[in-house]
Amino acid sequence: DAKTTQPTSMDCAEGRAANLPCNHSTISGNEYVYWYRQIHSQGPQYIIHGLKNNETNEMASLIITEDRKSSTLILPHATLRDTAVYYCIVRVGNTGNQFYFGTGTSLTVIP
Amino acid sequence: SQTIHQWPATLVQPVGSPLSLECTVEGTSNPNLYWYRQAAGRGLQLLFYSVGIGQISSEVPQNLSASRPQDRQFILSSKKLLLSDSGFYLCAWSYGTFQPQHFGDGTRLSIL
């Protein structure tokens, strides 16, 4: 069963912030939240990850709720090249090697 | 910088034929290596991972096998392909167990 829940699709106007939500209500205390994106016919691209605190890098910001049961990926100024499927992933299993990639959110940036 | 190479980019094979997909990583040593499969319109499924030469862990029972003959080389194989083996195969690497995984551009495999 899926460990994360994301909306199937979202639209965002070019230049606006894109806010992509993810629910992970069964997350354990030592599990990280990762975000990847995949442009059609390419391999997934790592975006950002976090455990408890909010994180920011050159691509995006990650906001994790205090109870860690949900998170939001923020692309501050969406461009057409940000159109992709975005995956929210929680590391599961004792080894930490097991990733579950669900069906993700298909984000379309509209000119 | 680190780079990951997968080949071929596309492959068309008849049912019952063997398979060998290769993945190599450059610019790092002793990486964790992974094979995933993505069926059309679905999420990624972890098939195998390796934390070192000759060490392979299988996540799902299937018609495929993996080998790691060298530190930065990961091979996905099959003796007899099935129609259900069609899909998009991705190789990935990471510095360690809880580090982000970085993916290659994948191999699109079609079984006829």
Side-chain angles (χ1 to χ4, degrees):
Chain A
D1 291 337
K3 294 291 185 179
T4 62
T5 304
Q6 298 177 251
T8 302
S9 63
M10 293 179 63
D11 292 337
C12 178
E14 188 177 17
R16 305 295 294 270
N19 296 280
L20 293 91
C22 179
N23 288 322
H24 30 78
S25 58
T26 60
I27 191 170
S28 299
N30 62 347
E31 291 177 334
Y32 286 73
V33 179
Y34 289 77
W35 282 84
Y36 283 77
R37 70 181 182 185
Q38 187 174 24
I39 297 171
H40 183 62
S41 296
Q42 296 182 18
Q45 178 189 22
Y46 165 75
I47 301 174
I48 199 167
H49 75 286
L51 182 63
K52 295 181 180 179
N53 300 322
N54 298 336
E55 302 288 343
T56 296
N57 63 19
E58 65 278 5
M59 291 181 66
S61 294
L62 173 61
I63 307 298
I64 302 174
T65 57
E66 190 171 346
D67 62 7
R68 301 186 70 240
K69 293 185 176 182
S70 65
S71 61
T72 301
L73 178 74
I74 300 173
L75 307 178
H77 306 286
T79 70
L80 299 179
R81 288 178 295 179
D82 292 323
T83 293
V85 178
Y86 287 76
Y87 295 97
C88 168
I89 303 153
V90 171
R91 302 299 295 271
V92 298
N94 293 332
T95 65
N97 282 306
Q98 193 171 349
F99 267 39
Y100 183 84
F101 280 69
T103 52
T105 296
S106 178
L107 174 69
T108 301
V109 179
I110 301 169
Chain B
S1 63
Q2 299 79 27
T3 56
I4 180 168
H5 303 281
Q6 277 187 252
W7 65 92
T10 59
L11 187 61
V12 180
Q13 291 284 94
V15 170
S17 63
L19 173 74
S20 180
L21 301 181
E22 190 162 342
C23 170
T24 59
V25 179
E26 296 178 357
T28 186
S29 59
N30 197 31
N32 285 6
L33 297 171
Y34 310 84
W35 277 112
Y36 287 85
R37 177 171 58 201
Q38 185 175 34
R42 304 186 66 179
L44 274 69
Q45 178 187 37
L46 179 63
L47 303 175
F48 302 95
Y49 69 89
S50 171
V51 299
I53 296 174
Q55 301 179 59
I56 308 295
S57 296
S58 173
E59 291 298 308
V60 292
Q62 59 211 317
N63 183 42
L64 303 169
S65 62
S67 62
R68 185 170 177 174
Q70 301 180 40
D71 181 44
R72 290 169 290 177
Q73 183 185 29
F74 206 24
I75 298 172
L76 183 69
S77 304
S78 175
K79 292 182 179 179
K80 284 187 176 182
L81 286 168
L82 307 172
L83 284 174
S84 58
D85 291 324
S86 292
F88 190 43
Y89 288 84
L90 289 153
C91 181
W93 73 272
S94 70
Y95 281 116
T97 298
F98 286 99
Q99 298 301 311
Q101 295 178 10
H102 303 279
F103 290 79
D105 287 332
T107 294
R108 193 161 300 280
L109 175 64
S110 299
I111 310 299
L112 303 178

